[in-house]
């Protein structure tokens, strides 16, 4: 098992979340990305801050697959790239830093 050094916010934002950009850990990417402050909002009467980050299509590893999976013949496994991209939004309660809602469009 390989040790991973994480940086940035991992599961919530800091207490006293501010209207500024933060680094947030993206586990699939394996590194922190900049989540940008978007605007102040409200969810069912609760004041929240909206943050958003985008990861463009990035190769995050490889995997062997049977050739039939991609319409090829033969029996020898093919090594293919694993690609990842996301647009992720968080709505954060600023006093506690708790993520109240999250939407991810991951590809």
């Amino acid at each position: 098992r390989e040790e991973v050094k994480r940086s940035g916010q991992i599961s919530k934002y800091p207490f006293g979340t501010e209207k500024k950009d933060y680094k947030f850990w993206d586990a699939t990417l394996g590194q922190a990305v900049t989540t940008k402050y978007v605007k102040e909002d409200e969810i069912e009467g609760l004041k929240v801050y909206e943050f958003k980050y985008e990861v463009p299509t990035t190769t995050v590893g490889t995997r062997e697959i049977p050739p039939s999976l991609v319409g090829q013949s033969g029996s020898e496994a093919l090594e293919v790239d694993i690609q990842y991209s996301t647009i992720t939004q968080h709505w954060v309660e600023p006093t506690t830093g708790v993520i109240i809602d999250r939407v991810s469009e991951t590809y």
Side-chain angles (χ1 to χ4, degrees):
R1 186 172 164 192
E2 186 178 325
E3 181 179 329
V4 176
K5 293 189 182 213
R6 293 175 178 87
S7 62
Q9 307 305 313
I10 295 176
S11 60
K12 68 180 271 316
Y13 287 72
F15 288 101
T17 299
E18 298 177 41
K19 296 177 179 180
K20 67 176 193 174
D21 298 347
Y22 287 91
K23 290 290 189 179
F24 202 90
W25 181 257
D26 185 298
T28 302
L29 190 59
Q31 66 186 46
V33 295
T34 300
T35 180
K36 297 182 179 291
Y37 171 78
V38 176
K39 65 181 179 181
E40 189 173 312
D41 206 346
E42 195 173 285
I43 296 177
E44 295 184 19
L46 180 67
K47 179 176 88 170
V48 294
Y49 294 166
E50 179 184 345
F51 292 88
K52 179 179 181 179
Y53 71 88
E54 297 185 40
V55 175
T57 301
T58 304
T59 299
V60 293
T62 60
R63 174 169 289 151
E64 288 189 351
I65 64 167
S68 60
L69 197 58
V70 290
Q72 294 186 11
S73 60
S75 59
E76 191 163 327
L78 300 174
E79 187 170 303
V80 297
D81 290 340
I82 300 169
Q83 295 194 321
Y84 165 74
S85 67
T86 189
I87 299 171
T88 299
Q89 293 168 270
H90 295 150
W91 287 267
V92 177
E93 193 285 313
T95 302
T96 62
V98 171
I99 298 171
I100 302 300
D101 197 4
R102 174 188 171 166
V103 174
S104 290
E105 297 176 33
T106 301
Y107 308 96

